[in-house]
Amino acid sequence: MRFLREWRWQAIGAGNAFYRALRIYWANGSLLAWARVFQSRFRAIRGLPGPRSFHIAPTYRCQCHCVHCYAHGRGVDPAEEMETAEIKRVIDEVRRLGCLQVVFTGGEPLLREDIVECVGYAHRAGLITCVNTNGLLLDVECVSELKKAGLTQCGVSIDDADPDTHDRLRGVPGCYHKAVAGIENLHRAGILCQILTYAPRRNVTAGLARIVALGRELGVLSVYILPPMAAGRWDGRSDQVLTDEEKAKVRDLQDVALVHFELAGSRSMCGICKGRSLLLSPVGDVTPCPAVPYVMGNIRDHSLTDIWRLHLAQKDFQWRGFCPMNDAESRDALKRHVESVSRLLT
């Protein structure tokens, strides 16, 4: 029985990922983006895999004060943030590495005045483009500019389907209604939208089910559920980490057409282990994942290519079914790995 349940989770997760990819590439409409898929597979066969997704946090500035924010504590002087030319240079480099998607995250990426320019640059390079946002700035004019730039997908954070609860968790009155209005603006403009949410213990599973119902009502591409992570404001908060039973309940919410849990099954491998992602911070620091604060190197001192190849070469761990930030032993192993990469760069 347990085997059948696990098989079902994995099958639904794979089906959901395939369905979303087809929708995204069809909506993107770029033949260059399709060609990059085959180029990426060819590079992997030759033993030169690149990251599937490259996350760029152009700023950690944000209007919200979320209780679960993983970027909390990474204070950055706005004067030290990467310039537009630096971001474009890194986009060129990840394109050469065989990356398929650039995700602009934060903080709140729409606070950057050059975000539309950066999205357009990545789109013209044949990369799938995504912006993850709190939705506060997604008015008609902003969405129209993002559409013209070639934005493929936008992730909008919804922490609770109850407006008052969402606003309290985000620390901004009216945040829920602006986020929902932003989703509606995206839909009218023809930009794919996914609801980004997380599975806190207070919300398993009735609260998540209400968010899923909201997603169906708004016609979003997907409801993407992240596990709570003991990082940022929740650093060391083991009380927020889901039990195996709670994770199983969340996984049972998955379906092929709409709902996806980041770790679809208890045997799903963490994206760090599969070498699927990297994060670039506002000051050029490179970490293995947006939730991981440990810095491997900085693009102002070393090439991203060198950092990526050392990261892959030194990687000797496998975490399945959970975020390594939620387990003390795995967290220590990840920190040692990052320190090893950093030493080899110097």
Side-chain angles (χ1 to χ4, degrees), residues 17 96 100 124 156 170 185 192 196 223-224 277 281 323 330 336 338:
R96 291 193 295 270
L100 298 177
R124 289 190 297 274
V156 181
R170 293 256 146 186
N185 289 336
L192 293 177
L196 299 174
V223 176
Y224 198 94
S277 69
S281 84
C323 171
S330 301
R336 288 194 299 271
V338 168

PDB file of all heavy atoms in Angstrom, residues 17 96 100 124 156 170 185 192 196 223-224 277 281 323 330 336 338:
ATOM      1  N   ALA A  17       4.804  18.166 -13.855  1.00  0.00           N
ATOM      2  CA  ALA A  17       5.977  18.886 -14.365  1.00  0.00           C
ATOM      3  C   ALA A  17       5.976  18.913 -15.896  1.00  0.00           C
ATOM      4  O   ALA A  17       6.277  19.944 -16.514  1.00  0.00           O
ATOM      5  CB  ALA A  17       7.255  18.247 -13.848  1.00  0.00           C
ATOM      6  N   ARG A  96      25.180  30.193 -21.970  1.00  0.00           N
ATOM      7  CA  ARG A  96      26.253  29.351 -22.513  1.00  0.00           C
ATOM      8  C   ARG A  96      26.389  28.043 -21.733  1.00  0.00           C
ATOM      9  O   ARG A  96      26.823  27.023 -22.285  1.00  0.00           O
ATOM     10  CB  ARG A  96      27.575  30.117 -22.501  1.00  0.00           C
ATOM     11  CG  ARG A  96      27.631  31.269 -23.505  1.00  0.00           C
ATOM     12  CD  ARG A  96      29.048  31.786 -23.669  1.00  0.00           C
ATOM     13  NE  ARG A  96      29.571  32.397 -22.445  1.00  0.00           N
ATOM     14  CZ  ARG A  96      29.450  33.692 -22.144  1.00  0.00           C
ATOM     15  NH1 ARG A  96      28.830  34.503 -22.993  1.00  0.00           N
ATOM     16  NH2 ARG A  96      29.967  34.166 -21.027  1.00  0.00           N
ATOM     17  N   LEU A 100      18.020  26.691 -18.946  1.00  0.00           N
ATOM     18  CA  LEU A 100      16.761  26.793 -19.694  1.00  0.00           C
ATOM     19  C   LEU A 100      15.874  27.936 -19.206  1.00  0.00           C
ATOM     20  O   LEU A 100      15.083  28.470 -19.972  1.00  0.00           O
ATOM     21  CB  LEU A 100      15.971  25.483 -19.582  1.00  0.00           C
ATOM     22  CG  LEU A 100      16.647  24.234 -20.157  1.00  0.00           C
ATOM     23  CD1 LEU A 100      15.780  23.006 -19.909  1.00  0.00           C
ATOM     24  CD2 LEU A 100      16.918  24.408 -21.643  1.00  0.00           C
ATOM     25  N   ARG A 124      15.149  37.348 -25.092  1.00  0.00           N
ATOM     26  CA  ARG A 124      15.795  37.387 -26.411  1.00  0.00           C
ATOM     27  C   ARG A 124      16.950  36.387 -26.494  1.00  0.00           C
ATOM     28  O   ARG A 124      17.333  35.968 -27.593  1.00  0.00           O
ATOM     29  CB  ARG A 124      16.302  38.807 -26.701  1.00  0.00           C
ATOM     30  CG  ARG A 124      15.169  39.798 -26.972  1.00  0.00           C
ATOM     31  CD  ARG A 124      15.696  41.126 -27.489  1.00  0.00           C
ATOM     32  NE  ARG A 124      16.541  41.810 -26.509  1.00  0.00           N
ATOM     33  CZ  ARG A 124      16.081  42.606 -25.551  1.00  0.00           C
ATOM     34  NH1 ARG A 124      14.773  42.802 -25.415  1.00  0.00           N
ATOM     35  NH2 ARG A 124      16.912  43.213 -24.719  1.00  0.00           N
ATOM     36  N   VAL A 156       2.921  34.359  -8.219  1.00  0.00           N
ATOM     37  CA  VAL A 156       2.380  35.310  -7.253  1.00  0.00           C
ATOM     38  C   VAL A 156       2.149  34.590  -5.925  1.00  0.00           C
ATOM     39  O   VAL A 156       1.497  33.543  -5.884  1.00  0.00           O
ATOM     40  CB  VAL A 156       1.069  35.940  -7.746  1.00  0.00           C
ATOM     41  CG1 VAL A 156       0.534  36.940  -6.730  1.00  0.00           C
ATOM     42  CG2 VAL A 156       1.276  36.624  -9.093  1.00  0.00           C
ATOM     43  N   ARG A 170       1.792  38.652   5.783  1.00  0.00           N
ATOM     44  CA  ARG A 170       2.681  39.458   4.945  1.00  0.00           C
ATOM     45  C   ARG A 170       3.013  40.806   5.566  1.00  0.00           C
ATOM     46  O   ARG A 170       3.943  41.491   5.116  1.00  0.00           O
ATOM     47  CB  ARG A 170       2.016  39.689   3.587  1.00  0.00           C
ATOM     48  CG  ARG A 170       1.868  38.423   2.760  1.00  0.00           C
ATOM     49  CD  ARG A 170       2.866  38.352   1.651  1.00  0.00           C
ATOM     50  NE  ARG A 170       3.290  36.988   1.397  1.00  0.00           N
ATOM     51  CZ  ARG A 170       4.243  36.648   0.565  1.00  0.00           C
ATOM     52  NH1 ARG A 170       4.905  37.584  -0.085  1.00  0.00           N
ATOM     53  NH2 ARG A 170       4.597  35.393   0.391  1.00  0.00           N
ATOM     54  N   ASN A 185      -4.885  40.551 -13.800  1.00  0.00           N
ATOM     55  CA  ASN A 185      -4.236  41.354 -14.854  1.00  0.00           C
ATOM     56  C   ASN A 185      -3.327  40.479 -15.721  1.00  0.00           C
ATOM     57  O   ASN A 185      -3.275  40.641 -16.943  1.00  0.00           O
ATOM     58  CB  ASN A 185      -3.410  42.480 -14.221  1.00  0.00           C
ATOM     59  CG  ASN A 185      -4.275  43.561 -13.602  1.00  0.00           C
ATOM     60  OD1 ASN A 185      -5.437  43.736 -13.983  1.00  0.00           O
ATOM     61  ND2 ASN A 185      -3.725  44.287 -12.643  1.00  0.00           N
ATOM     62  N   LEU A 192       1.173  33.485 -18.325  1.00  0.00           N
ATOM     63  CA  LEU A 192       0.884  32.370 -17.426  1.00  0.00           C
ATOM     64  C   LEU A 192       1.200  32.764 -15.988  1.00  0.00           C
ATOM     65  O   LEU A 192       2.208  33.424 -15.724  1.00  0.00           O
ATOM     66  CB  LEU A 192       1.706  31.142 -17.809  1.00  0.00           C
ATOM     67  CG  LEU A 192       1.379  30.490 -19.156  1.00  0.00           C
ATOM     68  CD1 LEU A 192       2.337  29.328 -19.416  1.00  0.00           C
ATOM     69  CD2 LEU A 192      -0.069  30.000 -19.187  1.00  0.00           C
ATOM     70  N   LEU A 196       2.190  30.761  -5.815  1.00  0.00           N
ATOM     71  CA  LEU A 196       3.258  30.219  -4.985  1.00  0.00           C
ATOM     72  C   LEU A 196       2.778  30.246  -3.538  1.00  0.00           C
ATOM     73  O   LEU A 196       2.379  31.298  -3.030  1.00  0.00           O
ATOM     74  CB  LEU A 196       4.528  31.056  -5.120  1.00  0.00           C
ATOM     75  CG  LEU A 196       5.149  31.141  -6.519  1.00  0.00           C
ATOM     76  CD1 LEU A 196       6.317  32.121  -6.507  1.00  0.00           C
ATOM     77  CD2 LEU A 196       5.602  29.777  -7.001  1.00  0.00           C
ATOM     78  N   VAL A 223      -0.736  25.640  -8.908  1.00  0.00           N
ATOM     79  CA  VAL A 223      -0.562  26.018  -7.505  1.00  0.00           C
ATOM     80  C   VAL A 223       0.666  25.247  -7.038  1.00  0.00           C
ATOM     81  O   VAL A 223       0.639  24.023  -6.935  1.00  0.00           O
ATOM     82  CB  VAL A 223      -1.786  25.663  -6.648  1.00  0.00           C
ATOM     83  CG1 VAL A 223      -1.508  25.986  -5.175  1.00  0.00           C
ATOM     84  CG2 VAL A 223      -3.020  26.419  -7.137  1.00  0.00           C
ATOM     85  N   TYR A 224       1.751  25.961  -6.813  1.00  0.00           N
ATOM     86  CA  TYR A 224       3.043  25.349  -6.488  1.00  0.00           C
ATOM     87  C   TYR A 224       3.252  25.461  -4.989  1.00  0.00           C
ATOM     88  O   TYR A 224       3.387  26.565  -4.451  1.00  0.00           O
ATOM     89  CB  TYR A 224       4.157  26.055  -7.245  1.00  0.00           C
ATOM     90  CG  TYR A 224       5.439  25.280  -7.349  1.00  0.00           C
ATOM     91  CD1 TYR A 224       5.707  24.490  -8.458  1.00  0.00           C
ATOM     92  CD2 TYR A 224       6.386  25.321  -6.337  1.00  0.00           C
ATOM     93  CE1 TYR A 224       6.889  23.767  -8.564  1.00  0.00           C
ATOM     94  CE2 TYR A 224       7.565  24.606  -6.423  1.00  0.00           C
ATOM     95  CZ  TYR A 224       7.810  23.828  -7.545  1.00  0.00           C
ATOM     96  OH  TYR A 224       8.975  23.113  -7.639  1.00  0.00           O
ATOM     97  N   SER A 277      19.627  23.990  -9.944  1.00  0.00           N
ATOM     98  CA  SER A 277      19.421  25.414  -9.706  1.00  0.00           C
ATOM     99  C   SER A 277      20.619  26.062  -9.027  1.00  0.00           C
ATOM    100  O   SER A 277      21.464  25.381  -8.431  1.00  0.00           O
ATOM    101  CB  SER A 277      18.175  25.631  -8.837  1.00  0.00           C
ATOM    102  OG  SER A 277      18.394  25.169  -7.520  1.00  0.00           O
ATOM    103  N   SER A 281      22.697  36.415  -5.712  1.00  0.00           N
ATOM    104  CA  SER A 281      22.182  37.426  -4.789  1.00  0.00           C
ATOM    105  C   SER A 281      22.347  38.827  -5.383  1.00  0.00           C
ATOM    106  O   SER A 281      23.044  39.011  -6.392  1.00  0.00           O
ATOM    107  CB  SER A 281      22.924  37.347  -3.448  1.00  0.00           C
ATOM    108  OG  SER A 281      24.139  38.084  -3.503  1.00  0.00           O
ATOM    109  N   CYS A 323      13.823  19.144   2.547  1.00  0.00           N
ATOM    110  CA  CYS A 323      14.788  20.233   2.325  1.00  0.00           C
ATOM    111  C   CYS A 323      15.954  20.053   3.291  1.00  0.00           C
ATOM    112  O   CYS A 323      15.742  19.869   4.500  1.00  0.00           O
ATOM    113  CB  CYS A 323      14.103  21.574   2.560  1.00  0.00           C
ATOM    114  SG  CYS A 323      15.241  22.996   2.578  1.00  0.00           S
ATOM    115  N   SER A 330      22.089  17.165   7.484  1.00  0.00           N
ATOM    116  CA  SER A 330      22.148  17.515   6.056  1.00  0.00           C
ATOM    117  C   SER A 330      22.571  18.968   5.869  1.00  0.00           C
ATOM    118  O   SER A 330      23.316  19.304   4.945  1.00  0.00           O
ATOM    119  CB  SER A 330      20.781  17.274   5.398  1.00  0.00           C
ATOM    120  OG  SER A 330      20.396  15.929   5.532  1.00  0.00           O
ATOM    121  N   ARG A 336      29.430  22.297   4.575  1.00  0.00           N
ATOM    122  CA  ARG A 336      30.791  21.834   4.290  1.00  0.00           C
ATOM    123  C   ARG A 336      31.059  21.810   2.790  1.00  0.00           C
ATOM    124  O   ARG A 336      32.157  22.156   2.327  1.00  0.00           O
ATOM    125  CB  ARG A 336      31.013  20.434   4.881  1.00  0.00           C
ATOM    126  CG  ARG A 336      31.115  20.409   6.397  1.00  0.00           C
ATOM    127  CD  ARG A 336      31.668  19.068   6.870  1.00  0.00           C
ATOM    128  NE  ARG A 336      30.810  17.962   6.480  1.00  0.00           N
ATOM    129  CZ  ARG A 336      29.800  17.502   7.214  1.00  0.00           C
ATOM    130  NH1 ARG A 336      29.490  18.083   8.368  1.00  0.00           N
ATOM    131  NH2 ARG A 336      29.091  16.465   6.806  1.00  0.00           N
ATOM    132  N   VAL A 338      29.666  23.750   0.477  1.00  0.00           N
ATOM    133  CA  VAL A 338      29.824  25.136   0.022  1.00  0.00           C
ATOM    134  C   VAL A 338      31.203  25.671   0.401  1.00  0.00           C
ATOM    135  O   VAL A 338      31.871  26.338  -0.402  1.00  0.00           O
ATOM    136  CB  VAL A 338      28.705  26.013   0.617  1.00  0.00           C
ATOM    137  CG1 VAL A 338      29.010  27.492   0.405  1.00  0.00           C
ATOM    138  CG2 VAL A 338      27.361  25.667  -0.006  1.00  0.00           C
TER     139      VAL A 338
END
